[in-house]
Amino acid sequence: MDVKHAAARKSFELAFSGVYKYINKNKEENLVKLMNLAHKIAGKNFPQYFWDNANEVLGDPEQKWTQMIYNAMDRLHPNIVKQHVLNMGFEAGLTGFKKVRENREKYGCNVPWVILMDPTSACNLKCTGCWAAEYGHQLQLSNEELDRIITEAKELGIHFFVLTGGEPMVRKKDILMLAEKHNDCAFHIFTNGTLIDEELCKEVQRLGNLSFALSVEGYAETNDDRRGQGVFEKVMHAMDLMKEHGLLFGTSICYTSKNYKVVTSDEFLQMLVDKGAILSWFFHYMPVGKDASTDLLLTPEQREYMVERVRFVRSRKCPIKLFTLDFQNDAEFVGGCIAGGKNYLHINPNGDVEPCVFIHYSNINIKEHSLLECLQQPLFMQYHDNMPFNDNQLRPCPMLENPEMIKKMVEASGAHSTDMQAEEPVDSLIAKTIPYAENWKPVADRLWKERQDEVAEARKERFEKYGE
């Protein structure tokens, strides 16, 4: 960290601490002060209406999102709040993102905002349908390799890292060590939750820069049918511990044709909120791997339900105070597919640098090349040159909705299959997704047309109000 940046961070930290110290005396006034501080630092990174809308929300104590922020301030440990404001806010969101954009121009390739990597293939569970369960327990990124990846990433402006697996908490001591060394970064852990204990919670509370997404697939019967007897109760106990220690956590939910209504029901989501969850990631089932079933893929009608349902839960109209994100159906809010280094990439435990956690092809391995070299690999440059894959951002994925594109890019780049269970030729992969893509297209096109009409009306109103 250079002297100028360190001074700016310290100045931001002191200003934040000064406001946060009195946050509970007047949340409304002091949250607006915090937003104005962020605006001062990064105002040019976002349009003026973004800041005006944020201040409007924070200025209304009865509004859903304001209430969620108030609840988070009350529940989360002060060090968790402070470190996430500094690392996710200042480092990753305000100054880091600016540097990332500059490096995209400088190097002529995609530079992501977040890196997802698997410290290990090891897992203490063997969940049905999980490709990681078939990898075995031998593969891992060493501490030195993880440290190098993070160090090189920070030089590019990247300060946000997502850890998956396998089960990353198999290596909890190593992860805590990395989080302490790189205390200017934020780490988000996707975990099955069964290895979370009180000792870990105390360490996370001390460090402050880790958050968690616990995998859950429904209530006990459904969840344990896939994950194993007693796992649901262990996850619920982990949530209780994390809530008790004021940690930041949410859930990771893979929705399928079998469970999509249960995992988005009012009762289930409110149960997660009561347990202390602040956010829920929703992931569309992907038929990854040679033996992956297509029976769990959603019908067009089921997916339309998911599009509307997740957005409704996130809206001000829904009383459930949970921030929901749908990795597949929210593409329009991030400009389409974010893979291939555009905003994120995946590094598997063998070191293969892949465009997406769901797309197992690569030209290069991080154990033999620098992160920048990996970003400039032929497959990632194919992503760079061909994005977006579709003007309809309800059809963003080059595998699931535009299978001709993943075939084109893999073949043009000469990328090889990195699936660690068994190599999967690209033709074998898209044979499972072509029928899905064809069935989803007419529904997606109708929904997108309706959505564009809504967006046009909103832009008109915004122009009349803000002049931009």
Side-chain angles (χ1 to χ4, degrees):
M1 189 184 300
D2 63 55
V3 175
K4 184 177 180 181
H5 182 81
R9 178 186 167 99
K10 189 63 178 179
S11 177
F12 182 86
E13 180 180 356
L14 290 172
F16 167 76
S17 297
V19 176
Y20 185 64
K21 182 179 180 181
Y22 301 101
I23 198 78
N24 288 321
K25 292 185 178 180
N26 189 329
K27 286 189 175 74
E28 181 179 342
E29 177 182 330
N30 286 314
L31 283 172
V32 170
K33 285 182 179 179
L34 287 178
M35 184 57 61
N36 289 337
L37 175 63
H39 188 184
K40 182 179 179 181
I41 294 173
K44 294 181 180 179
N45 288 350
F46 305 94
Q48 182 59 39
Y49 65 79
F50 169 87
W51 302 105
D52 291 340
N53 285 346
N55 281 322
E56 182 179 334
V57 168
L58 294 176
D60 180 3
E62 302 304 317
Q63 207 255 79
K64 171 180 173 174
W65 295 110
T66 311
Q67 285 294 313
M68 286 182 64
I69 294 171
Y70 287 1
N71 292 344
M73 290 288 187
D74 290 337
R75 187 183 75 72
L76 296 177
H77 188 274
N79 195 43
I80 299 291
V81 175
K82 175 183 175 181
Q83 294 304 322
H84 278 82
V85 167
L86 287 173
N87 296 345
M88 281 298 292
F90 180 80
E91 296 288 359
L94 300 182
T95 60
F97 186 53
K98 179 182 178 182
K99 190 172 181 180
V100 162
R101 291 194 300 183
E102 290 172 351
N103 280 317
R104 289 172 182 168
E105 292 294 322
K106 178 179 179 180
Y107 296 112
C109 65
N110 287 332
V111 177
W113 182 68
V114 56
I115 291 178
L116 189 156
M117 51 189 176
D118 304 343
T120 180
S121 63
C123 185
N124 59 321
L125 301 180
K126 191 175 175 64
C127 303
T128 304
C130 175
W131 66 82
E134 307 300 331
Y135 287 173
H137 290 53
Q138 290 75 36
L139 300 173
Q140 62 180 335
L141 297 171
S142 69
N143 287 345
E144 292 74 21
E145 288 162 346
L146 290 166
D147 180 51
R148 177 175 67 82
I149 293 167
I150 295 169
T151 300
E152 291 182 8
K154 289 196 293 185
E155 292 173 357
L156 293 171
I158 306 161
H159 286 78
F160 184 31
F161 301 90
V162 176
L163 304 181
T164 59
E167 170 49 50
M169 299 317 294
V170 167
R171 294 182 59 188
K172 64 175 75 174
K173 291 183 179 179
D174 296 333
I175 290 172
L176 293 172
M177 179 189 70
L178 283 168
E180 183 153 26
K181 180 175 181 180
H182 297 281
N183 59 4
D184 56 345
C185 295
F187 297 86
H188 190 53
I189 319 295
F190 279 80
T191 173
N192 62 42
T194 61
L195 299 178
I196 291 171
D197 54 25
E198 187 163 8
E199 181 182 358
L200 173 70
C201 290
K202 289 179 178 178
E203 276 297 284
V204 172
Q205 186 186 86
R206 179 181 70 84
L207 294 171
N209 59 340
L210 297 102
S211 60
F212 298 83
L214 284 73
S215 296
V216 61
E217 311 279 316
Y219 293 108
E221 182 178 358
T222 303
N223 188 82
D224 291 359
D225 182 59
R226 179 170 183 245
R227 296 185 172 273
Q229 191 64 33
V231 170
F232 181 80
E233 285 305 316
K234 290 180 180 178
V235 174
M236 295 299 104
H237 176 63
M239 289 184 180
D240 291 340
L241 280 175
M242 298 171 91
K243 182 179 181 181
E244 178 185 337
H245 287 81
L247 306 190
L248 175 59
F249 71 91
T251 59
S252 169
I253 299 172
C254 175
Y255 59 88
T256 72
S257 60
K258 308 298 182 186
N259 73 346
Y260 73 103
K261 280 202 172 179
V262 171
V263 297
T264 56
S265 67
D266 285 357
E267 296 78 13
F268 182 75
L269 297 178
Q270 187 59 52
M271 180 269 291
L272 299 180
V273 172
D274 293 341
K275 283 288 182 179
I278 289 176
L279 59 90
S280 276
W281 289 97
F282 285 91
F283 294 94
H284 188 293
Y285 169 77
M286 296 286 194
V288 176
K290 290 187 70 173
D291 298 324
S293 170
T294 56
D295 292 342
L296 295 177
L297 285 168
L298 280 73
T299 66
E301 294 74 22
Q302 291 169 338
R303 183 165 174 186
E304 180 176 359
Y305 175 89
M306 285 299 300
V307 172
E308 296 172 352
R309 176 60 181 165
V310 172
R311 294 184 183 193
F312 173 75
V313 173
R314 194 167 58 219
S315 74
R316 300 183 189 185
K317 297 177 183 178
C318 179
I320 300 170
K321 295 181 174 66
L322 184 71
F323 185 60
T324 52
L325 305 96
D326 190 320
F327 189 74
Q328 200 70 19
N329 293 326
D330 282 342
E332 69 172 287
F333 305 113
V334 287
C337 175
I338 64 172
K342 178 186 174 184
N343 274 314
Y344 108 111
L345 58 81
H346 177 240
I347 305 174
N348 72 19
N350 193 46
D352 299 307
V353 182
E354 304 167 335
C356 176
V357 69
F358 299 117
I359 296 183
H360 298 170
Y361 299 92
S362 179
N363 294 108
I364 207 163
N365 193 290
I366 196 69
K367 297 183 179 184
E368 301 163 355
H369 296 271
S370 70
L371 178 59
L372 181 57
E373 288 173 330
C374 293
L375 291 170
Q376 294 172 329
Q377 66 169 293
L379 180 57
F380 278 34
M381 293 309 297
Q382 282 290 316
Y383 270 76
H384 177 271
D385 296 341
N386 285 286
M387 289 177 147
F389 303 116
N390 200 302
D391 291 336
N392 181 341
Q393 292 177 4
L394 286 172
R395 298 170 52 215
C397 178
M399 176 185 74
L400 191 66
E401 294 112 354
N402 305 279
E404 72 284 355
M405 290 306 302
I406 191 62
K407 176 179 171 66
K408 171 187 173 182
M409 293 190 297
V410 167
E411 292 180 347
S413 65
H416 63 275
S417 171
T418 52
D419 191 286
M420 290 179 284
Q421 180 184 1
E423 287 194 7
E424 183 170 30
V426 69
D427 284 331
S428 175
L429 172 66
I430 67 172
K432 292 176 290 188
T433 61
I434 287 174
Y436 178 95
E438 291 174 347
N439 290 334
W440 172 239
K441 182 181 184 303
V443 177
D445 287 348
R446 171 176 57 79
L447 292 174
W448 186 245
K449 173 63 168 60
E450 294 170 358
R451 175 63 179 158
Q452 292 310 104
D453 291 343
E454 294 172 3
V455 169
E457 183 61 30
R459 283 176 178 163
K460 179 181 177 182
E461 292 177 2
R462 190 170 67 216
F463 181 81
E464 291 172 352
K465 185 173 183 179
Y466 299 106
E468 59 176 304

